[in-house]
Amino acid sequence: MAAENMAVTRETFDDVILPVYAPAQFVPVRGKGSRVWDQQGKEYIDFSGGIAVTALGHCHPALVETLKSQGETLWHTSNVFTNEPALRLARKLTAATFADRVFFGNSGAEANEAAFKLARYYACKKHSPFKSKIIAFHNGFHGRTLFTVSVGGQPKYSDGFGPKPADIVHVPFNDLAAVKAVIDDHTCAIVAEPVQGEGGVMPATQAFMQGLRELCDKHNALLVLDEVQSGMGRSGKLFSYEHYNIQPDILTTAKALGGGFPVSAMLTTNEIASVMAPGVHGTTYGGNPLACAIAETALDIINTPAVLQGVDVRRQQFVEGLMALDRELTIFSEIRGKGLLIGAVLRPEHASKARAILDAAAAEGVMILTAGSDVIRFVPSLVITPDEIETGMNRFATALRKVFNA
C-alpha cells in the first residue's frame, strides 16, 4: 500500500509504537508559528515548544529556507571529511561563549554522553585513573543512554537495566553543604543543570552555582553544565550560565539549537580538549551539513538583542496571567524558573491533578507540559506573539476552571 494512501490515527500508535510514551489523544499534522492543527483541523496554541525545542516556532521561514537550500546542496559526508556548515557553526558557538572547541552530536543525551566521557578521560590522562567520581543531583535529567540516565538523579528512569556505571554520587540540588560533604580529590566532575527542567523547573541559586565553581577549582574537578533545556536563549541570555557570573569547563546544548532539527553540541576549552585524539570518541551523523546549516540559522536569529530581550517581556506576560489565575482559583504555590522556562507549582492539595490539567488544556486548544507530578511547565517559542500568549492563557484559564469546577 502506498504511504499516502495509508490512513493513520492515534489508535495506530497503540498498534505499532514501542509503548514508552503516552501521547495525547490528538495527532498534530501542521504547525505555523505558535499554532498547531490536528487531523480534524482543530487549532492549538503551543506553549510546549516541543519540550523547549521549537524556540522559533513551527516552520520558521528562515529555517525552512535553509533546510531547502542545504537539502539541495549536501546532506551528509561522515566525519571522514569536514564541512563548511559545521565549521561556521562551531566558529559562531565559540565566539559567543567561553569555549574554544566543539563536538557535534544529534541529541542532548549524545552531547551529555560525550561530556561525561570527556570529563573522565581528562581526569584519567591529566591526574589519575582513579579520579573518576561524578557528583550529580537528585531530580536531575541528562538523557536516556545508560551513562546519562545514571548521572541523572531520577532512579525511575535508570532502575531495571542492569548494573549502572559506577562512581556516580547524587546529592540534593541547591545544597552546597551536601556537595562539600562528598567532593574529594577523586572527583572528576560536578554535573548540573543551571535550571533543572524535568526535575520541576528549579533554578540554581547564585550562591550554589558560584560555590560549585569554587569547589571544582579547589579539587581539580570539571564543572559540566547541561544547558540542553536552559540554553539557546531560553533564559533570556544565550546560555543561562551567563546569569551566574561563572564559566563552566564543559557545556552541552541541544533541543533549541536546531529549532526542531536534531542536532546537539558539547563545548569545552582548548586545555580540556587537548587530551582527545582521533578515535577516542565519535559519531556517524554528528556535525552533518544539513543539521549544522539549520542550527547556524537558528543561532543567528536567537543570538540577537531583539529575541533575547524579548524573552523577559514574554515571561512577564505569562507570570502575570498565571498569578491572576491563582488569585481566582488558589491553585499555585509558586511560579518559578528563568525566562521562558516557567514552572507553575501546584499546591500540595492539587498535586495529583497535573495530568488532568494537561488533558483539559488540550481539550480547550492549548498545548502545555508537566515537569514531575506537581508542576505545570511552559516552554513556548521565544518569539511567540503577545496575542498568542493571551489566546493560549484564556484557553488555559477555561481548562483550569473546568478541572476545579470554578
Side-chain angles (χ1 to χ4, degrees):
M1 183 186 291
E4 62 270 19
N5 296 326
M6 185 183 291
V8 291
T9 66
R10 172 60 180 80
E11 285 66 43
T12 311
F13 175 95
D14 298 326
D15 290 338
V16 298
I17 303 295
L18 193 74
V20 293
Y21 308 111
Q25 292 304 306
F26 66 95
V27 179
V29 295
R30 183 168 65 90
K32 189 70 178 169
S34 288
R35 296 177 190 268
V36 170
W37 291 265
D38 69 12
Q39 287 179 317
Q40 285 69 46
K42 179 178 175 177
E43 180 206 85
Y44 301 79
I45 299 290
D46 186 3
F47 285 168
S48 67
I51 315 184
V53 168
T54 49
L56 297 173
H58 297 275
C59 301
H60 189 284
L63 297 186
V64 171
E65 182 53 41
T66 300
L67 176 67
K68 288 178 178 177
S69 60
Q70 187 64 42
E72 293 172 347
T73 307
L74 187 68
W75 287 25
H76 176 81
T77 59
S78 88
N79 286 298
V80 173
F81 313 94
T82 190
N83 66 81
E84 291 179 343
L87 298 175
R88 289 196 306 265
L89 177 59
R91 182 68 77 198
K92 289 179 178 181
L93 284 169
T94 56
T97 65
F98 72 96
D100 308 306
R101 300 278 180 162
V102 181
F103 172 83
F104 290 119
N106 307 286
S107 67
E110 279 187 43
N112 283 330
E113 183 88 13
F116 305 161
K117 286 179 69 177
L118 174 58
R120 285 226 172 131
Y121 200 75
Y122 178 81
C124 179
K125 292 294 182 182
K126 289 286 187 176
H127 300 290
S128 159
F130 304 107
K131 189 176 174 68
S132 58
K133 182 193 288 186
I134 293 174
I135 298 172
F137 297 95
H138 296 315
N139 298 318
F141 185 88
H142 303 293
R144 298 284 195 164
T145 65
L146 191 58
F147 196 176
T148 58
V149 86
S150 300
V151 175
Q154 301 186 54
K156 66 183 178 182
Y157 294 140
S158 58
D159 288 348
F161 297 103
K164 300 172 188 177
D167 223 3
I168 301 167
V169 178
H170 295 95
V171 295
F173 191 64
N174 274 331
D175 185 343
L176 206 55
V179 181
K180 288 178 180 175
V182 297
I183 195 168
D184 55 28
D185 290 338
H186 295 295
T187 302
C188 71
I190 297 175
V191 177
E193 301 160 88
V195 184
Q196 285 194 332
E198 305 300 314
V201 192
M202 180 67 74
T205 65
Q206 182 75 30
F208 182 66
M209 288 294 278
Q210 289 189 320
L212 294 184
R213 179 68 274 173
E214 291 163 8
L215 286 170
C216 283
D217 292 341
K218 179 180 176 182
H219 292 277
N220 286 319
L222 301 184
L223 180 59
V224 180
L225 294 186
D226 175 342
E227 294 234 30
V228 168
Q229 189 159 167
S230 66
M232 289 304 295
R234 181 63 47 189
S235 70
K237 293 187 182 291
L238 184 62
F239 290 105
S240 57
Y241 77 84
E242 298 171 55
H243 292 282
Y244 294 98
N245 199 30
I246 61 155
Q247 289 193 352
D249 299 297
I250 300 174
L251 179 143
T252 57
T253 176
K255 285 189 181 290
L257 178 61
F261 198 93
V263 60
S264 65
M266 177 193 73
L267 313 181
T268 192
T269 63
N270 278 326
E271 158 62 20
I272 295 161
S274 68
V275 299
M276 300 304 268
V280 175
H281 189 62
T283 164
T284 295
Y285 293 110
N288 72 79
L290 188 56
C292 289
I294 295 167
E296 182 190 9
T297 298
L299 176 63
D300 285 345
I301 297 169
I302 290 169
N303 194 26
T304 57
V307 172
L308 295 177
Q309 292 169 12
V311 167
D312 285 333
V313 176
R314 289 163 174 79
R315 176 186 175 81
Q316 192 61 32
Q317 188 177 350
F318 270 99
V319 171
E320 287 172 1
L322 291 167
M323 291 174 70
L325 280 169
D326 184 56
R327 286 193 294 274
E328 176 190 342
L329 299 169
T330 322
I331 51 174
F332 301 128
S333 61
E334 184 184 1
I335 310 296
R336 65 191 184 204
K338 272 195 185 304
L340 285 172
L341 178 46
I342 301 168
V345 186
L346 294 169
R347 292 173 184 261
E349 61 268 30
H350 302 311
S352 63
K353 294 192 171 82
R355 182 71 199 206
I357 292 170
L358 185 135
D359 291 340
E364 296 302 325
V366 60
M367 299 157 68
I368 61 172
L369 298 167
T370 58
S373 61
D374 62 347
V375 179
I376 306 299
R377 176 172 35 162
F378 301 87
V379 277
S381 161
L382 306 183
V383 294
I384 187 171
T385 66
D387 285 348
E388 287 167 332
I389 298 174
E390 183 178 4
T391 300
M393 288 301 291
N394 287 338
R395 294 178 185 181
F396 182 59
T398 301
L400 286 180
R401 291 180 191 120
K402 289 187 175 178
V403 170
F404 293 96
N405 300 312

